[in-house]
Each structure stands twice: as structure tokens, then as C-alpha cells.
Amino acid sequence: MKWFKNIYLKNQFFYALIGLAAAFVVSFFFKSLFPIIKFGLILLLLILIIDFIVLFFTNKTVYTERIYPERFSNGDFNDLKIKIQNQYKLNLNFRLIEELPIQFQKRDFEKHVRLKKGENKTISYRLRPTQRGEYTFGNLNVFVSFLGFFERKIIQQEHLNIKTYPSYLQMRQYTLLATTNQLHQIGIKRIRRIGSNTEFENIKPYSRGDEYRLINWKATGKAHKLMVNQYQEEKSQPVYNIIDLGRSMRMPFNELTLLDYAINSSLVLSNVTLVKDEKAGLITFNKKVENHILADKKNHQMQVILEALYATKTDFKETDFGRLYSYTKKKLPQRSLLFLYTNFESLDALERQIQYLKLIKKSHVLVVIMFKNTELNTYAQSKPDNVMDIYRQTIAEKINFEKELIINKLHRYGIHTIYTEPSELTVNSINKYLELKARGLF
């Protein structure tokens, strides 16, 4: 009787029964219609039997295949495909219901397709995860119908687990552009190096973005195309991404927390620094330093950083910058470039930590990264409807102004800053890295 659970009655079945019942009521008053309606009942029963036999009394049914990535990229749209093939000997209608992971909170995934016998199609859709961790897909259910009165449910795929990692799709994109010298296409500035120590390496064909002053005119004349001198830059400097796991990083923007924006940016920036032949490292801290990956440029360094970022967890407690200072003083003897992802919402919050930031700055090149509250900016610029809206907008403008004061105070102590919208964090971080490298500050 297991097959009995796979029988589903469609609306057409009930509409036909209701219509037939109404016809019998009418035949009570018009007896001449009774034979016709009786024939209709027999015809309906015959159609139902045919529909049932076609769906349930056959060995070959339908074949499906999930063409899903091995892992998801957090915060990005991931492409997924389902391949379906009709193995019946008739043209049929198929309805696919994928039981999506609970994190997406979507219960309306349904795809309809009609296939001829032996025909196959690929159904594509996209998902955007906003949390790191493991996502569990339920069953892939296929409902088959022929004449539209019955549906047969077939469970084609069982549960599937996919891990969601920090945004490796962005990492690949920036890596490709960095290796082909095309970072300027997505907003990365081409910055002229000032007073840097360089050593001649070779002559190469000109590519878009190269500096005009490096054109080698003699080689250009011989090759009949633009050629430029390429110089070997000073390399192998440590670059650390330091991520605050405190409560200030819990604020969400576009469904992602500031912490996840920082994690995604750290992954991309670490990869770009490795492409530039620097050493990439990682530190995460809260009440104490939770994780420390020594800056290195070994082959599997990116995989180590990726796994560490994926496993990052926090309870968003108050951050101890004093513990961070003592740890960097002890564990980072070499002068390094430190990108500190945090968020000070008030001058008082900065005052409690500024002494530790000044001490870190004495030994390293420190870049403090803070986030603009884009929703607050939008609200402050909107048109007020009443007096309370004016009060609230005044408070919003005061908070935004205080953020500017925080930035100015950090500059006063010689601390570099990035004040950015969360969505622009990665581009602005890479720009700051290239700027500091071009100025020879580390």
C-alpha cells in the first residue's frame, strides 16, 4: 500500500465530480438528459482509469539530477540547476518541488515543465545565502500528471548538505583581475608609486592600466607595438586582516551582518596580497584572540584562511582591545600592515580604545575600517512628515556627524582609516592596500 501515499487528486478531479453531480440534479427535472449524463459518468470513469494506469503501472518513470555547486558563496547569488528527463512513453506534465534549506525561509519553490517522451530539460535558479554554515536540502519531489485528474509523487533525490563559505566567488573575480592587471575595471585605482625601491625585471607588451612613463620606446620601435619596462617591487611583507567579533559587528545590512562583510573582504584582500607576493595572515578577537594564522605565502595559505573564516563563530560580546594590543606586541615582532575591521558608533566608544590603537600604531601600519550606516543616511535625507520625524532626522544627522569626528580623531593620531558602505568594503580595502604599498609605508 506504499504506492497509495503517492496518489494526489488534482482540482480537475473535483471539478468533474461537482459538474457531474450538478448534471444529475438537472436530469431530475429533465429526464431526457439522464441517459446522456449517465454516459458522461461512464466516460469519466474510463478516463480516470486510463489516467491512473498510465501514471502508476509503468516501470520507467522520470530521471532527475541536481547540478549543484560543492559549496555556496556567502552573500553572492549561486547558480543551481536541476536536470529532468521524461522516461515515460507519453508526453507528460511535471511539477518539481525542491525542499530548500530552512535558512532561506522559502516554501514556495515550484517549477512546472511539460516534456515529450524521452525529452530532457534543465531548470535553472539562483540562491543567495546570507549565513555561513551547513545548508541542508530536503527531498526533491516530482509530481507527474497525464490527463490532469491524478498526480503521482516521486521522490527523486534525498537530503543533500552544502557548506556555505565566505565569498569565494568574489575572491576568484578579484584574483583574475589582479593577475591580468585589470583591477581598475571594478573601481580599483591605479596608483602611481612614489619613491619606492624597484629593480628592473623585464620588458613586456603594454596592457591597459600600465603607466605611460614606463614605455620603452626603443623596444617599441623594434617590436612595432607598445612595450613597457617591468620592475620588481619589494615583496614579502606581512599583511594581517584583524576582525573584531564584538557586538558592534552584529548590525545587519542587506541581510548580511557587518561581521560577514568583514569576513568576505578579508578573504578577497588576503588573496590579492598573495597574488602581489605578500604574506597574508589573519587574527580574530573578542574577549581574547580567538584565531591567529601566521602571515605566510605558502601554497595552501588561502585554503587555511578560508577554512578559518568559515569556522568563525562569536557570541558578540564586548571587545577587549587591550588584549589585542598585548597579543600583537608579543606575537607580531615584524612591522606589518594591519587591517582592523571594527565599528565605533560614538566618540565615547572610541575614547575607551584609542590608547590601545595608538600603541598598536607605533609598531605597525594600522588601518581602522569603519562602516557607514546607509539606512541611517537614507532616513536623514528623506522628507519629514511630522515634528517627530524632524527630531529623529536631527538625531540621525548627529550620529553621522559623530562618525566623521571619529574619523578625524583617528587621522589626528596618524591612524589610517577606511570609512565605507558595507557593499563597497572590498573595493575600498584593496584601494587602501595599493595606496599604502605605492607610498612605501610598509
Side-chain angles (χ1 to χ4, degrees), residues 27 90 119 155-156 181 205 211 275 309 367 370 372 378 390 398 401 421 439:
S27 68
L90 295 168
E119 184 182 5
I155 298 177
Q156 278 288 300
N181 202 25
E211 297 184 35
V275 170
L309 290 173
V367 180
M370 295 175 54
K372 293 181 181 179
T378 303
I390 296 176
K398 179 179 181 299
F401 179 69
E421 296 181 6
R439 292 168 61 185

Side-chain angles (χ1 to χ4, degrees), residues 237-248:
Q237 301 297 308
V239 179
Y240 278 93
N241 289 284
I242 304 178
I243 302 177
D244 179 359
L245 304 180
R247 62 184 181 183
S248 64

Side-chain angles (χ1 to χ4, degrees), residues 100-108 131 135:
L100 299 178
I102 191 172
Q103 290 93 331
F104 294 111
Q105 290 297 301
K106 293 180 67 176
R107 298 293 180 268
D108 57 351
Q131 301 174 30
Y135 286 57

